[in-house]
Amino acid sequence: MQQITAEPIPSKYGDWFSAKTDAIGNRLIWKFAKPILRMQLPFPIVSFTFDDFPETAATIGAVILEEASVRGTFFVSGSKAGGVHDGQKMASAENCKELVKRGHELGCHTFSHKKLRRLSKRELEDELNANRKFLKDVGVTSKEVNFAFPYNAAWPGSRSVLRRHFATCRAAGENVNTDLIDPLMLKAVEIHAGRDINAHLMPWIDRVVSSNGWLIFFSHDVQDNPSPYGCSTAVLRELVSSAIGKGCHILPVRDALKLISQ
Ligand SMILES: [Zn+2]
């Protein structure tokens, strides 16, 4: 008799439900933010951050930033390093070492890129410790590490653990950080291939200039024809040039935080 094994059946309804839960959760989550740090900046700041992150973010994105004499923040999930994810070749440990040498910041994105609401505190600790080891192995010596939530899905239940590990945590939130901020729930604006630069992205630079705040962009791959989650080389170049032209300082998260905490 044939053995029947119970395999999980891919369910588009399951995916839909999970995506809806995330979308609702990612909106409601801001009610749990604790705005405790007052920002008084001498100039508007823009940070370019890259999640997961594909090799092209390290080989193309980082170079575009360097051509403008600025640096970025790359949030890595160590388990993905050197592999292929969603058709993208992911940055290797060597790419990560190179970025550190060239003055970019590496941040934590959990080791296995898991949603925090699905992890117990113990499991989350294990994830963060595993990724801390990866970061150490590629040359990150600073104890002050910054974090980005996988899937931008912040989770109040993980706050006590995250506070012990990180200086800041970045979600999405589609807004500029101004006035009173919660360092454990920083807001960010996504750059993805479906967003028109003039209609959807440039206005954020005008907004950060007028509010003298801190705008954090996030994306994934950087190439001429990016994935749906990525940023084109032309868009990244134009955003960098526009931000500098309008008087913004482009800083990695760690350096922006130093200015804010002064
Ligand atoms: Zn991610």
Side-chain angles (χ1 to χ4, degrees):
M1 196 179 167
Q2 195 181 352
Q3 185 80 26
I4 297 172
T5 53
E7 285 188 349
I9 300 165
S11 159
K12 64 180 177 180
Y13 299 109
D15 291 345
W16 178 87
F17 184 74
S18 180
K20 277 283 173 201
T21 307
D22 285 345
I24 294 166
N26 287 356
R27 278 202 301 276
L28 289 178
I29 214 75
W30 295 100
K31 294 192 185 305
F32 293 91
K34 296 180 181 167
I36 48 168
L37 182 61
R38 184 165 294 283
M39 297 203 318
Q40 284 178 318
L41 294 172
F43 37 72
I45 299 174
V46 178
S47 297
F48 287 90
T49 69
F50 303 90
D51 290 2
D52 298 350
F53 52 89
E55 187 185 64
T56 55
T59 54
I60 301 173
V63 172
I64 290 173
L65 295 176
E66 287 164 22
E67 282 167 359
S69 304
V70 298
R71 298 294 183 269
T73 300
F74 297 76
F75 290 105
V76 64
S77 287
S79 72
K80 290 188 176 188
V84 174
H85 180 72
D86 277 347
Q88 297 282 323
K89 190 172 174 199
M90 307 307 284
S92 64
E94 277 310 309
N95 291 135
C96 291
K97 281 182 194 168
E98 239 339 274
L99 287 175
V100 172
K101 269 191 218 154
R102 281 155 39 193
H104 295 277
E105 174 185 22
L106 285 190
C108 176
H109 199 43
T110 72
F111 186 69
S112 308
H113 202 270
K114 287 186 177 151
K115 281 177 189 160
L116 267 53
R117 67 182 156 87
R118 296 198 175 148
L119 298 173
S120 69
K121 286 186 179 176
R122 181 70 259 162
E123 288 167 336
L124 177 57
E125 286 280 1
D126 291 346
E127 277 284 329
L128 302 182
N129 288 332
N131 217 43
R132 190 172 281 272
K133 183 180 180 313
F134 176 88
L135 289 171
K136 195 174 166 207
D137 290 347
V138 295
V140 175
T141 52
S142 168
K143 279 189 182 167
E144 293 279 288
V145 175
N146 295 296
F147 178 78
F149 293 97
Y151 308 95
N152 292 306
W155 187 243
S158 60
R159 196 176 171 98
S160 60
V161 176
L162 296 172
R163 188 189 293 119
R164 282 202 304 280
H165 284 265
F166 304 115
T168 68
C169 301
R170 197 220 72 214
E174 290 293 304
N175 217 336
V176 173
N177 299 284
T178 54
D179 303 322
L180 275 176
I181 62 165
D182 180 352
L184 296 183
M185 285 186 69
L186 293 177
K187 292 180 177 170
V189 172
E190 182 170 15
I191 305 171
H192 63 69
R195 288 196 154 165
D196 178 79
I197 183 167
N198 292 314
H200 303 127
L201 298 171
M202 285 298 186
W204 286 109
I205 294 183
D206 294 330
R207 211 171 290 183
V208 72
V209 169
S210 64
S211 63
N212 208 46
W214 179 16
L215 169 62
I216 305 174
F217 278 124
F218 73 95
S219 195
H220 295 85
D221 53 297
V222 181
Q223 44 194 328
D224 289 343
N225 294 302
S227 77
Y229 310 103
C231 175
S232 80
T233 48
V235 164
L236 183 58
R237 277 208 177 87
E238 217 174 318
L239 289 174
V240 168
S241 157
S242 170
I244 293 171
K246 290 179 179 177
C248 301
H249 285 223
I250 296 177
L251 298 171
V253 172
R254 65 164 183 230
D255 297 347
L257 192 66
K258 274 183 210 153
L259 263 182
I260 289 165
S261 307
Q262 272 176 0

